[in-house]
């Protein structure tokens, strides 16, 4: 059998009270053992030591110990004592404690069985601990008793104040509510044990907000405490609620929260007119539906509670006028239902009633919820100026439109009964430049000159209409004229570009980017197209790439520049706007050659001092260019004339060759006769110095005379002379690349063949028949015609 006693102790402000509680119950024997495990606590009684209660046959059933939370004493708290009836007191029995907090929070004396708490416990963190106790033999470590489980409960003290977890609070209650109307309920929580003592028993009270509101102490329900609280007098109230534990007694902890209470509106106020009579006037020229006047009944209520409707209840103008409600301003708007005539009736009297649309039945006794006022309407005589049909006009006209182009038409009419005609005009101060004119009778607006959108895109003028034959009253209307864009401006460089390039620049390098602007409007998909002007498209220095985003990149296409040769290059660039019609212009990009270091850093772009400055004016440059063009034209003309006069090496034209033949009567001495004439006459005098220039080409190089002997001028060795000529021709570097015929008068020594010279045949009587030349083909047609013609001529003679 296990036996034990449970001891519960708590402290109060009046003193320390010792309370012991034991649960009396009997349990059956375990495994037939008759041993007992008891709990002992020292109790003070009359100054004596506490006595150990022991029963040999029957013990108290124990399963709970108690310990006070937040104990701050210097010594560990004695929780209780374990004792087994098999413990003879000789130290052979050893007590063991295991479970939650064993060894750390709770320790046991293995000899005496006393259990102590070594740390301060907080019930809000853990309310109880489950432990297991066992008695074993100290020497053999064998169990003397089966293990027994018990619970150590942490006894609560009032160490937590009440808290409002959801504050601050906001509440609404209708105005004019009865006393005791529930507003809202506030609830506080206390972390202390609600099952033990009064630590968690809360009581609510109101600290701020009296006498308008009250709170129930036990439930925290806030209620109205005064009747007839008017929102129009005060709309918001700040209430402070307190929750206190320990049942609200002294020493209890407390917490507060704020509650903002707003009174909501109810329809408790009728509409009221500020004045009893409202004078109004209306001109006889007003048309049906035009507004005559407004009046308003004031209602301090909000929302639909303050909505007011207006109606006529009596009067002589109920069929002439109508009244409606402006929902935005809550005003009654009086309008004309029928036209009025000053000569027929000059005044009307109306009775207007204003009433609430929504009435609260709870406050019907406070009624009536309506009010009345008198409206007096006076009719005025009017002679008004002409009125334009539209309040303003807007027209469009294309720029560059010819004079007299119709822009639009304005129309005004005389509203008087007479219906006099209207004359139109444009006040000069609204059109100082006099771009427009208006027809005085028909109101048609026309242009007086071509308009330029880029100069002035909008023209804002006024047209006045004056009644003819009336009081000469006029009225004006605003006319806005937009000048529509026409693509009449060519694009141009956005700024003056001057690109600097190094002398040692590499080919393909980007040296600059250019962009363009256009005074005309451009479509969002429109862009400028760049290209090199046709006159410079074959330049070998620079190239251009169109980026297709209205910009172009300039690249170098050759390697290296020299400032001493040319320091400035002018690159003409053509820009097209792709408009309709397309417009383009040629802009000149200035490219200046500069001196740079190895890192392409520009050092100087100035012209060298020894280069003469070109200080010529534009007129002088034009004159110089004109002279150059004239000189070039003269040179070209001279060369053309020379080419026409130069005879070809081979005759191709159909001409009579006999015109070029010179006939001599002296026949000479024959081939072997070398004494009859001087062979030196056959030599070219220009060749006497060793060089014989060609007449059909211009030599590029002058070669010195080839060393070697030449026959003397008076030499009669014709064979050597001809060989020398052949050698010169073969070795002449200025000779043309095509074959040429060298004609010589020497036919060789001892030739048995007759002479082939045509000169002899023509000058002597010969009976040869040259008809066979006709069958030799087109190559011999010239000879056939020549000799055939000659024979025919002889026959005719």
């Amino acid at each position: 059998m296990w036996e034990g006693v449970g001891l519960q102790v708590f402290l109060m402000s009046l003193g320390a009270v010792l309370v012991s509680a034991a649960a009396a119950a009997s349990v059956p024997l375990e495994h037939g053992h008759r041993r007992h495990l008891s709990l002992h606590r020292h109790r003070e009684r009359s100054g004596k030591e506490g006595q150990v209660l022991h029963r040999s046959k029957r013990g108290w059933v124990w399963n709970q110990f108690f310990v006070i939370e937040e104990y701050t004493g210097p010594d560990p708290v004695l929780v209780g004592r374990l004792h087994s009836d098999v413990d003879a007191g000789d130290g052979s029995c050893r007590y063991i404690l295991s479970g939650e907090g064993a060894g750390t929070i709770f320790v046991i004396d293995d000899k005496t069985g006393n259990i102590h708490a070594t740390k301060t416990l907080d019930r809000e963190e853990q309310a109880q601990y489950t432990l297991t106790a066992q008695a074993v033999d100290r020497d053999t470590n064998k169990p003397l008793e089966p293990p027994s489980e018990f619970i150590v409960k942490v006894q609560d003290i009032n160490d937590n104040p009440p808290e409002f977890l959801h504050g601050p609070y906001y509440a609404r209650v209708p105005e004019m509510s009865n006393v005791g109307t529930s507003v809202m309920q506030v609830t506080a929580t206390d972390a202390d044990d609600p099952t033990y003592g009064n630590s968690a028993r809360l009581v609510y009270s109101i600290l701020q907000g009296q006498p308008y509101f009250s709170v129930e102490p036990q439930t925290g329900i806030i209620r109205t405490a005064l009747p007839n609280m008017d929102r129009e007098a005060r709309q918001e109230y700040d209430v402070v609620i307190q929750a206190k534990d320990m049942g609200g007694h002294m020493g209890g902890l407390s917490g507060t929260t704020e509650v903002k209470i707003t009174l909501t509106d109810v329809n408790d106020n009728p509409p009221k007119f500020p004045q009893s009579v409202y004078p109004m006037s209306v001109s006889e020229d007003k048309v049906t539906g035009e507004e005559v006047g407004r009046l308003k009944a004031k209602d301090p209520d909000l929302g639909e509670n303050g909505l007011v409707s207006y109606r006529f209840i009596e009067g002589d103008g109920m069929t002439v006028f109508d009244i409606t409600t402006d929902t935005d301003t809550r005003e009654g708007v009086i309008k004309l239902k029928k036209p009025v005539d000053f000569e027929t009736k000059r005044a009307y009297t109306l009775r207007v009633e204003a009433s609430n649309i929504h009435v609260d039945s709870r406050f019907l006794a406070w009624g009536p919820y309506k009010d009345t006022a008198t409206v007096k309407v006076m009719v005025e005589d009017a002679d008004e100026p002409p009125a334009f049909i539209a309040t303003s006009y807007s027209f469009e006209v294309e720029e560059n439109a010819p004079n007299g182009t119709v822009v639009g038409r304005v129309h005004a009419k005389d509203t008087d009964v007479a219906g006099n005609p209207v004359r139109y005009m444009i006040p000069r101060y609204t059109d100082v430049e006099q771009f427009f004119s208006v027809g005085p009778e028909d109101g048609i607006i026309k242009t007086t000159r071509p308009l330029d959108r880029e100069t002035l895109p909008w023209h804002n003028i006024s047209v006045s209409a004056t009644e003819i034959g009336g009081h000469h009253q006029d009225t004006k209307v605003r006319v806005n004229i937009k000048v529509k864009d026409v693509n009449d401006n060519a694009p141009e460089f956005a700024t003056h570009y001057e690109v600097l390039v190094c002398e040692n620049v590499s080919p393909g390098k980007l040296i600059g980017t250019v962009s363009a602007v256009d005074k005309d409007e451009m479509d969002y998909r429109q862009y400028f197209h760049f290209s090199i002007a046709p006159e410079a498209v074959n330049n070998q220095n620079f190239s251009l790439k169109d980026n297709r985003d209205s910009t172009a990149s300039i690249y170098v296409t050759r390697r290296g520049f020299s400032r001493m040769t040319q320091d400035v290059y002018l690159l003409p660039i053509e820009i097209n706007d792709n408009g309709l019609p397309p417009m383009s212009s040629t802009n000149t990009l200035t490219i200046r050659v500069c001196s740079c270091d190895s890192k392409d850093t520009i050092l100087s772009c100035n012209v060298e001092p020894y280069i003469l400055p070109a200080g010529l004016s534009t007129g002088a440059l034009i004159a110089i260019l004109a002279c150059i063009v004239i000189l070039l034209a003269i040179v070209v003309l001279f060369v053309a004339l020379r080419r026409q006069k130069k005879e070809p090496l081979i005759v191709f034209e159909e001409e009579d060759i006999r015109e070029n033949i010179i006939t001599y009567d002296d026949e000479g001495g024959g081939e072997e006769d070398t004494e009859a004439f001087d062979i030196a006459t056959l030599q070219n005098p220009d060749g006497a110095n060793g060089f014989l220039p060609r007449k059909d080409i211009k030599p590029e190089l002058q070669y010195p005379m080839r060393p070697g002997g030449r026959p003397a001028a008076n030499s009669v060795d014709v064979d050597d002379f001809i060989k020398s000529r052949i050698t010169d021709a073969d070795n002449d570097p200025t000779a043309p690349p095509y074959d040429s015929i060298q004609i010589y008068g020497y036919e060789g020594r001892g030739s048995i063949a007759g002479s082939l010279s045509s000169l002899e045949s023509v000058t002597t009587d010969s009976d040869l028949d040259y008809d066979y030349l006709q069958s030799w083909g087109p190559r011999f047609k010239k000879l056939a015609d020549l000799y055939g013609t000659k024979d025919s001529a002889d026959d005719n003679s």
Side-chain angles (χ1 to χ4, degrees):
M1 289 288 295
W2 289 95
E3 295 180 351
V5 177
L7 182 62
Q8 177 179 355
V9 181
F10 64 92
L11 297 178
M12 299 186 62
S13 60
L14 298 179
V17 180
L18 236 57
V19 179
S20 63
S26 59
V27 296
L29 295 175
E30 287 187 358
H31 307 293
H33 295 285
R34 297 292 298 175
R35 293 180 295 271
H36 305 276
L37 182 64
S38 304
L39 166 68
H40 300 271
R41 288 293 304 269
H42 295 282
R43 292 187 293 178
E44 298 179 0
R45 181 178 298 176
S46 302
K48 296 182 180 180
E49 293 290 334
Q51 299 179 0
V52 177
L53 301 177
H54 178 72
R55 293 184 180 182
S56 57
K57 294 184 178 180
R58 183 179 181 87
W60 296 98
V61 177
W62 62 278
N63 61 356
Q64 289 186 9
F65 290 165
F66 295 86
V67 61
I68 299 176
E69 69 169 335
E70 305 294 345
Y71 176 75
T72 57
D75 298 325
V77 178
L78 178 61
V79 179
R81 179 182 179 186
L82 298 178
H83 182 72
S84 175
D85 55 0
V86 298
D87 186 2
D90 55 359
S92 61
C93 181
R94 183 167 66 92
Y95 296 97
I96 299 174
L97 186 66
S98 62
E100 294 179 326
T104 57
I105 299 176
F106 302 101
V107 295
I108 189 171
D109 189 335
D110 60 352
K111 293 182 179 180
T112 63
N114 292 334
I115 301 173
H116 291 82
T118 61
K119 296 183 179 180
T120 302
L121 303 180
D122 188 357
R123 189 199 66 83
E124 286 71 35
E125 292 183 0
Q126 187 168 347
Q128 65 182 21
Y129 298 84
T130 302
L131 300 171
T132 302
Q134 189 176 17
V136 299
D137 186 271
R138 186 177 296 277
D139 296 330
T140 62
N141 207 29
K142 292 183 178 180
L144 300 178
E145 295 283 355
S148 179
E149 185 179 273
F150 63 95
I151 296 174
V152 177
K153 287 192 174 182
V154 181
Q155 186 173 343
D156 182 52
I157 64 173
N158 188 21
D159 59 344
N160 292 280
E163 293 182 355
F164 292 92
L165 301 180
H166 304 290
Y169 298 89
Y170 298 89
R172 301 165 65 90
V173 63
E175 63 174 333
M176 298 297 173
S177 296
N178 297 326
V179 175
T181 301
S182 176
V183 178
M184 72 173 304
Q185 182 179 14
V186 294
T187 303
T189 59
D190 196 316
D192 293 325
D193 189 0
T195 63
Y196 180 76
N198 295 326
S199 299
R201 190 164 68 88
L202 305 180
V203 174
Y204 298 92
S205 61
I206 184 168
L207 301 183
Q208 177 181 320
Q210 302 96 337
Y212 307 102
F213 300 94
S214 63
V215 62
E216 292 183 359
Q218 306 301 326
T219 62
I221 297 176
I222 302 174
R223 300 182 182 275
T224 58
L226 283 181
N228 302 330
M229 286 192 293
D230 191 3
R231 183 200 63 82
E232 288 73 28
R234 182 178 177 182
Q235 185 174 357
E236 293 184 350
Y237 297 85
D238 294 325
V239 178
V240 178
I241 302 298
Q242 174 185 268
K244 190 173 184 180
D245 60 12
M246 298 298 293
H249 293 92
M250 184 180 297
L253 304 178
S254 64
T256 59
T257 187
E258 291 186 1
V259 182
K260 184 177 289 294
I261 301 175
T262 303
L263 297 183
T264 59
D265 184 63
V266 297
N267 190 10
D268 58 339
N269 294 281
K272 292 289 183 182
F273 282 109
Q275 59 195 66
S276 59
V277 178
Y278 290 86
M280 297 182 184
S281 62
V282 58
S283 178
E284 63 174 343
D285 57 357
K286 293 292 184 180
V287 298
T288 301
E290 290 196 36
E291 182 178 316
V292 176
R294 292 176 175 241
L295 70 165
K296 182 178 181 179
K298 295 183 178 180
D299 191 330
D301 293 325
L302 301 176
E304 65 177 15
N305 296 322
L307 294 179
V308 179
S309 65
Y310 301 87
R311 67 187 184 96
F312 292 134
I313 55 177
E314 61 179 352
D316 55 0
M318 295 182 63
T319 59
V320 180
F321 301 95
D322 191 14
I323 186 169
T324 59
T325 302
D326 188 335
T327 57
D328 295 329
T329 61
R330 297 184 179 181
E331 293 176 319
V333 182
I334 299 176
K335 298 181 180 180
L336 272 178
K337 185 186 294 185
K338 294 180 180 180
V340 293
D341 187 9
F342 175 79
E343 289 73 22
T344 303
K345 188 175 179 62
R346 300 186 179 185
Y348 295 88
T349 302
L350 298 167
R351 190 75 175 168
V352 180
E353 179 186 82
S355 60
N356 282 134
I357 299 176
H358 304 283
V359 179
D360 195 334
S361 58
R362 296 175 297 173
F363 307 104
L364 286 176
W366 296 12
Y369 286 89
K370 57 186 177 181
D371 194 16
T372 59
T374 301
V375 177
K376 293 185 177 181
V377 182
M378 305 300 296
V379 180
E380 297 177 347
D381 187 18
D383 183 12
E384 294 186 345
F388 283 94
I389 295 177
T391 57
S392 64
Y393 294 87
S394 296
F395 302 117
E396 292 183 350
V397 62
E398 288 189 352
E399 66 173 328
N400 302 326
N403 301 347
T405 300
V406 176
V407 178
R409 181 183 181 184
V410 297
H411 182 65
K413 63 179 180 178
D414 182 17
T415 57
D416 292 334
V417 178
N420 295 323
V422 175
R423 180 176 297 275
Y424 302 93
M425 65 171 293
I426 298 177
R428 287 300 97 191
Y429 67 88
T430 65
D431 185 20
V432 179
E433 301 293 334
Q434 299 184 6
F435 291 106
F436 305 95
S437 64
V438 62
E441 297 179 358
D442 54 13
I444 296 177
I445 302 175
K446 298 180 180 180
T447 60
T448 60
R449 70 184 73 174
L451 305 178
D452 186 10
R453 189 201 67 84
E454 289 70 36
T455 303
L456 192 60
W458 282 89
H459 295 267
N460 300 316
I461 65 174
S462 295
V463 176
S464 65
T466 305
E467 178 185 349
I468 300 175
H471 293 82
H472 301 288
Q473 298 185 82
D474 66 340
T475 184
K476 297 180 180 63
V477 68
R478 195 70 174 173
V479 180
N480 303 315
I481 302 174
K482 178 182 179 181
V483 182
K484 298 172 64 177
D485 184 47
V486 175
N487 193 26
D488 59 345
N489 291 277
E492 58 187 11
F493 277 158
T495 183
H496 174 70
Y497 289 102
E498 182 174 287
V499 178
L500 305 180
V501 61
C502 295
E503 289 181 304
N504 57 349
V505 66
S506 301
K509 181 177 178 60
L510 173 66
I511 61 174
T513 302
V514 296
S515 61
V517 294
D518 196 329
K519 295 180 181 179
D520 296 319
E521 292 181 346
M522 292 188 64
D523 188 78
Y524 70 97
R525 295 174 297 182
Q526 184 179 353
Y527 61 89
F528 298 116
H529 175 71
F530 296 82
S531 62
I532 296 179
E535 61 267 22
V537 73
N538 294 323
N539 81 92
Q540 303 298 321
N541 301 319
F542 308 100
S543 64
L544 179 144
K545 177 186 177 183
D546 191 347
N547 298 324
R548 301 184 67 83
D549 60 353
S550 296
T551 63
S553 301
I554 311 300
Y555 295 88
V556 177
T557 57
R558 81 172 202 187
R559 181 181 298 277
F561 293 86
S562 175
R563 285 194 300 158
M564 292 186 293
T565 303
Q566 185 174 352
D567 64 330
V568 175
Y569 291 85
L570 300 179
L571 182 64
I573 297 178
E574 185 177 283
I575 310 174
N576 192 302
D577 61 5
N578 297 315
L580 189 66
M583 300 291 292
S584 63
S585 66
T586 300
N587 299 258
T588 302
L589 174 65
T590 303
I591 303 175
R592 188 175 298 277
V593 181
C594 302
S595 175
C596 304
D597 58 12
S598 59
K599 297 182 179 179
D600 293 338
T601 302
I602 296 176
L603 301 178
S604 174
C605 295
N606 298 326
V607 182
E608 297 298 334
Y610 55 80
I611 299 178
L612 295 178
L616 298 178
S617 63
T618 304
L621 290 175
I622 294 175
I624 292 173
L625 291 176
C627 293
I628 293 174
V629 171
I630 293 173
L631 290 175
L632 289 176
I634 293 173
V635 171
V636 171
L637 180 61
F638 179 75
V639 172
L641 293 175
R642 287 289 301 273
R643 287 184 178 180
Q644 289 180 359
K645 291 182 179 181
K646 184 176 179 180
E647 295 180 359
L649 296 177
I650 302 176
V651 180
F652 294 97
E653 293 81 8
E654 294 291 334
E655 61 181 4
D656 193 351
I657 196 64
R658 290 174 297 177
E659 295 178 358
N660 299 325
I661 299 176
I662 300 175
T663 306
Y664 300 92
D665 294 334
D666 187 6
E667 295 182 358
E671 297 176 358
E672 298 296 334
D673 185 4
T674 60
E675 302 295 339
F677 62 93
D678 188 2
I679 194 65
T681 58
L682 298 176
Q683 297 178 347
N684 191 335
D686 296 333
N689 296 328
F691 179 75
L692 185 62
R694 302 281 299 204
K695 298 298 183 182
D696 54 344
I697 64 171
K698 180 180 179 181
E700 296 181 357
L701 299 174
Q702 299 294 334
Y703 285 83
M705 182 180 66
R706 180 175 53 84
R710 278 187 178 274
N714 55 358
S715 174
V716 297
D717 191 352
V718 179
D719 189 15
D720 293 339
F721 171 75
I722 293 175
K723 290 180 179 180
S724 175
R725 289 298 185 183
I726 294 174
T727 303
D728 291 341
D730 293 338
N731 297 325
D732 187 4
T734 64
Y738 49 83
D739 294 337
S740 62
I741 301 175
Q742 303 292 335
I743 303 174
Y744 305 97
Y746 179 68
E747 297 182 359
R749 291 188 178 95
S751 176
I752 60 175
S755 176
L756 297 178
S757 174
S758 61
L759 298 178
E760 181 181 1
S761 301
V762 172
T763 56
T764 59
D765 294 335
S766 176
D767 55 356
L768 295 177
D769 185 9
Y770 294 98
D771 292 338
Y772 62 88
L773 294 176
Q774 298 290 342
S775 61
W776 284 17
R779 293 187 178 183
F780 296 92
K781 184 177 183 299
K782 193 69 175 178
L783 291 175
D785 294 341
L786 178 62
Y787 286 95
T789 304
K790 181 64 177 177
D791 296 341
S792 300
D794 293 341
D795 295 339
N796 295 331
S797 61

